[in-house]
Structure formats: C-alpha cells, structure tokens
C-alpha cells in the first residue's frame, strides 16, 4: 500500500465510519465513476452490494453494515423498521429475517432492491438513533414487522416479549394500529386487541396457541373438580370432562412473576389424568405439550372416565 492509497483510506474511513458510502457522495468528493467501478471489480478493494451504494471493503459485510447499506440505498430521510429494527431495540422473540426494512417519505421514488425493502409512507415518524442508525419508534417497528408475518404465534411471541419486558405499551401499539395500513394488519390487531381488552396474559396466549393447534375437542376452562361426595379435587386450567383429562399450569415452578406465584397443589383423583406444564414450557416447547396432551387422550380411551363433576372456578382474590 503506497502513501497515497493509505491516506485515501484514512480520509474515507473518517468520512464514512460505517464503511458504507453512496456512490454520489464519492463522486462529489472528486472521484470519477470509472475509478470507483475499477475499485469494485472482483479483485478490487471495494464492493457494490446495491447499485449506487459502495462498501469500502471487500470483506463480508457485518449486520450493521448491511443495515447501513439498506439505509444508504433508501435515501437521507430513511429509517429502519421491522424485524431488524426490533432486534436493535432488544426484542428477543423474533422470526429469522435477513432482509432490512426501511421507511421513506411517500414522495420518494426509491424502490426495493434485493435484501433492502423500501416502503413509502405518508406517516413517517420521528426516528430514534440506535447504534448510530435511524430507527422508527418501537410501536411502529413492531406493527410493521407483524404486518409482514403470516403466523399468529410468531406475532404473539414478538409483541408479548416487548410488552412483558416493558419495552412498549399496549396503548402505544393500539395508537400505531389506528393509523397503520390495513394491509397485513389482521394478525397484529388480534394480538393487540387481546392486550388492550385485558383478556389474555402472555400465558393465556401461549396456552390458547397450544389448544388451537392440538386438534383436540374444545375443553372447559378453569374448572373446579369435585368427587361424587363433594370433595374438591382442585382447579384445572383446562378440563376435558368426557375424557377425564386435565391440564394444570405450574406457576409455582416457572412463573412470569416467581415471587408472586401461589403454590398450587397437584390434582389427584382416581382415574384422573393430569398433564402438568410450566409457562416456560408452553412458550418454548408448544409441540411437546401438544404431544403430551394427545398421549393423555389416547391413554384416557383405555379406561372409564373418572367420576368427577365440575363447576366454573371462582376468580382468584
């Protein structure tokens, strides 16, 4: 490396610390198009990942550089949104996503190119800076991500992770949905609506997902079980009376609020089959829970159902 080349690299590194530059800016600095193209040849020191955007290295771009490339392509008023932006905020339960989703003013004419998704919007929010990158507010980020997802379970997991950990509030999500495009909004409206109405806690969402996917008959929820002589067996979170199968959630084993979870005595009665699960297992191993429930029902068909009656359980004090 000669002195001139070294000085050039230092100057460009100072001007473009992320190692990503718009071709137009390099031209404005006095570098010709032909000179830039030569440096982007296969054996050259630079790369051109997207037309008009130059990576000032021939190494594999980092995740940060890929986001910067997408932003540079989208233009000076662009900001990140969607799954990659949610990851920058620290949201953990996210689907795999290699593309970078950006928002730009509605008047802009930039189009999507490869991994760089560009969405024009008339509701362009004020960005937040994270790791030197402009990012949409988290509520907008989550709704934009959810609108491009096709599994209710994935939308629930993402939104509940953000809400349960205090990164975002249901009110912020509701306000964002009110002005969001209706395209792709069905799933986030289901999840945010449940949060808004207070119908479903995170555990309720995970449990409902398991019941929906199990293929089993619709059960009774929160049933107090009694023997023929009136003795209370306990409360089943889920109860299949014809099969004599119950599910009990062990909040005292793994809980969203371990210090506040009451101890729950095990359900025990002659002939009763009980599947016990923790909230963590519902969240992380739903397919295993479904297999356990199906196995319990197969076993139940091999014996007469227990003599148990049920009534709706009284709400917790």
């Amino acid at each position: 490396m000669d002195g001139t080349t070294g000085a050039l690299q230092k100057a460009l590194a100072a001007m473009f610390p992320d190692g990503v530059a718009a071709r137009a800016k390099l031209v404005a600095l006095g570098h010709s198009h032909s000179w830039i193209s030569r440096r982007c040849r296969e054996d050259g020191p630079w790369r051109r990942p997207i037309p008009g955007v130059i990576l000032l290295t021939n190494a594999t771009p980092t995740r940060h550089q890929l986001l910067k490339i997408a932003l540079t392509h989208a233009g000076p008023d662009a900001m990140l949104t969607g799954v990659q932006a949610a990851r920058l905020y620290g949201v953990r339960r996210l689907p795999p996503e290699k593309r970078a989703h950006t928002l730009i003013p509605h008047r802009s004419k930039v189009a999507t190119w490869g991994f760089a998704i560009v969405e024009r919007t008339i509701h362009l929010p004020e960005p937040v800076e994270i790791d030197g990158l402009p990012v949409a507010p988290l509520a907008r980020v989550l709704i934009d991500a959810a609108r491009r997802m096709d599994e209710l379970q994935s939308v629930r997991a993402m939104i509940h992770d953000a809400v349960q950990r205090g990164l975002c509030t249901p009110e912020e999500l509701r306000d964002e949905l009110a002005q969001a495009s209706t395209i792709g909004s069905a799933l986030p409206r289901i999840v945010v609506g449940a949060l808004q109405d207070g119908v479903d806690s995170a555990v309720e969402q995970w449990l409902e997902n398991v019941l929906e996917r199990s293929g089993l008959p619709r059960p009774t929820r929160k049933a107090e079980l009694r023997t023929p002589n009136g003795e209370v067996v306990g409360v089943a979170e889920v109860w299949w009376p014809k099969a004599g199968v119950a599910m009990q959630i062990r909040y005292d084993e793994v809980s969203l609020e371990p210090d506040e979870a009451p101890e729950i005595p095990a359900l025990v009665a002659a002939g009763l089959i009980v599947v016990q699960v923790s909230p963590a297992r519902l969240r992380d191993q739903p397919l295993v829970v479904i297999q356990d429930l199906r196995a319990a029902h197969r076993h139940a068909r091999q014996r007469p159902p227990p003599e148990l009656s049920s009534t709706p359980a009284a709400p917790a004090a």
Side-chain angles (χ1 to χ4, degrees):
M1 179 188 302
D2 58 36
T4 302
T5 301
L8 172 64
Q9 288 189 347
K10 289 182 179 179
L12 291 176
M15 296 185 66
F16 307 103
D18 296 310
V20 177
R23 187 184 189 108
K25 286 192 174 182
L26 293 174
V27 172
L29 290 172
H31 305 298
S32 68
H33 283 288
S34 59
W35 179 81
I36 296 170
S37 295
R38 285 196 300 273
R39 294 184 69 82
C40 293
R41 289 175 180 171
E42 185 174 351
D43 58 347
W46 293 353
R47 291 290 177 264
R48 190 196 69 164
I50 294 178
V53 182
I54 306 300
L55 180 65
L56 304 177
T57 176
N58 58 10
T60 301
T62 64
R63 175 181 292 176
H64 183 91
Q65 285 177 324
L66 287 172
L67 298 179
K68 184 65 176 180
I69 288 167
L71 286 166
T72 303
H73 166 70
D77 296 321
M79 65 189 72
L80 291 167
T81 190
V83 172
Q84 298 287 5
R87 185 171 286 112
L88 290 174
Y89 274 102
V91 179
R92 295 177 299 199
R93 297 185 62 79
L94 295 169
E97 179 60 85
K98 295 182 179 180
R99 297 169 298 176
H101 184 180
T102 58
L103 297 174
I104 61 174
H106 193 263
R107 64 182 182 276
S108 177
K109 302 301 181 183
V110 180
T112 293
W113 184 280
F115 74 93
I117 299 173
V118 176
E119 180 179 345
R120 291 189 290 274
T121 178
I122 59 175
H123 299 295
L124 192 70
E126 189 69 26
V128 175
E129 184 174 308
I130 303 177
D131 294 340
L133 302 173
V135 185
L138 182 55
R140 177 64 179 270
V141 163
L142 294 173
I143 298 304
D144 283 343
R147 286 175 48 238
R148 292 176 176 267
M149 294 160 65
D150 55 11
E151 292 184 0
L152 182 59
Q153 178 187 8
S154 298
V155 176
R156 280 174 174 162
M158 175 183 69
I159 289 179
H160 274 288
D161 181 62
V163 172
Q164 290 289 324
R165 294 171 50 227
L167 302 177
C168 188
T169 68
E171 290 74 18
E172 290 170 336
L173 292 165
R174 184 179 68 249
D175 292 344
E176 191 58 53
L177 267 175
Q179 63 179 1
S181 169
T182 57
I183 299 174
S185 68
L187 297 184
R189 288 184 191 280
I190 290 172
V191 175
V192 174
L195 289 170
Q196 173 189 347
D197 297 337
V199 175
D200 293 306
S201 66
V203 175
E204 282 287 319
Q205 293 280 11
W206 302 329
L207 176 58
E208 188 61 28
N209 171 61
V210 165
L211 297 177
E212 286 177 359
R213 298 171 64 186
S214 70
L216 297 170
R218 194 66 189 174
T220 300
R221 295 295 309 278
K222 295 188 183 299
E224 184 179 74
L225 307 183
R226 292 177 178 267
T227 63
N229 63 11
E231 180 183 353
V232 176
V233 174
V235 175
E237 188 73 30
V238 181
W239 169 237
W240 286 271
K242 292 184 178 180
V245 174
M247 176 191 280
Q248 189 174 33
I249 299 179
R250 302 297 303 192
Y251 291 95
D252 52 337
E253 291 182 6
V254 181
S255 173
L256 296 176
E257 300 289 345
D259 297 335
E260 299 179 10
E263 291 191 7
I264 302 175
L267 292 172
V268 179
L272 176 63
I273 298 175
V274 181
V275 177
Q276 295 186 346
V277 297
S278 67
R281 197 167 180 222
L282 281 172
R283 180 191 64 200
D284 299 331
Q285 298 178 297
L287 294 180
V288 175
V289 176
I290 289 171
Q291 291 172 359
D292 290 346
L293 288 173
R294 290 173 177 171
H297 278 256
R298 288 194 298 270
H299 180 58
R301 290 193 290 268
Q302 300 173 11
R303 54 91 174 105
E307 295 183 8
L308 294 173
S309 61
S310 64
T311 57

